[in-house]
Amino acid sequence: MEELRQAGYINRKQLVKVLGEGSVQRALQVEANAFSKSAEKAITEAGGTISKI
C-alpha cells in the first residue's frame, strides 16, 4: 500500500479492498485492508500470499 500512497493514488486515511475480478498468473505478495473471497482464492491458488493490515 505504501507504493499506492507514494504514487498519489490513496492517502493515509483511505482503506483498500482487493476484488477478485480477472486472473492471477504468478505468485504475488499483496497487502490490503480487505480482500474479497474470490481475490483471496485467486492469489493463494497462484502460490501468492495475502496480508490484511
Side-chain angles (χ1 to χ4, degrees):
M1 290 189 23
E2 189 59 37
E3 290 86 1
L4 293 174
R5 286 186 184 111
Q6 289 177 355
Y9 291 114
I10 62 172
N11 64 39
R12 290 225 177 267
K13 296 179 182 180
Q14 290 178 300
L15 301 177
V16 174
K17 181 175 184 177
V18 178
L19 302 176
E21 199 168 308
S23 63
V24 179
Q25 302 295 321
R26 58 186 169 147
L28 301 172
Q29 294 178 339
V30 183
E31 293 181 350
N33 300 101
F35 295 84
S36 69
K37 288 182 182 183
S38 58
E40 186 172 341
K41 181 180 176 185
I43 293 167
T44 55
E45 283 183 352
T49 59
I50 63 165
S51 296
K52 295 180 182 176
I53 53 173

